[in-house]
Amino acid sequence: MQPYQKVGATIDLSGTNSATFDGTAPYENLNFQYVWSSVVGAASSFKLQVSNDNSNWDDVSGVTGATSGASGSASWQLTGYSGAFFRVLVTSASTSGNLVVTASGNGV
């Protein structure tokens, strides 16, 4: 099985926006790297959610992030998750800015 990778889902940080990642279910090890840029105003907060039907979403406990300054990056490493869909959801907005999320996975 080839590793999973979805590059460059861009989320507008000026509202409650999200990016969804499908095809993650066979991969028990996942990494979500997020890079923010051009952030103006208050820091944005966001969280990772999981779904099996791409309609009902549950928070992944303890997996949250926030921008710090105008630009930067960080990542989440998950082991043992098998949801069919993941999404990164902005929960508090900045005046403007972007969050680019890249997901990768491996293991079966």
Side-chain angles (χ1 to χ4, degrees), residues 8-98:
T10 301
I11 304 168
D12 179 358
L13 292 173
S14 67
T16 307
N17 299 304
S18 65
T20 301
F21 298 84
D22 60 345
T24 59
Y27 301 95
E28 77 176 53
N29 303 307
L30 295 167
N31 178 274
F32 293 86
Q33 181 183 37
Y34 49 93
V35 179
W36 62 92
S37 62
S38 305
V39 175
V40 176
S44 283
S45 298
F46 41 93
K47 62 185 174 182
L48 187 66
Q49 296 184 312
V50 63
S51 174
N52 285 329
D53 61 7
N54 201 19
S55 179
N56 298 292
W57 294 94
D58 299 308
D59 295 349
V60 177
S61 180
V63 183
T64 61
T67 60
S68 174
S71 62
S73 68
S75 65
W76 299 312
Q77 179 68 42
L78 304 176
T79 301
Y81 283 85
S82 59
F85 302 91
F86 285 89
R87 78 174 177 186
V88 177
L89 175 68
V90 176
T91 57
S92 68
S94 298
T95 303
S96 65
N98 292 306

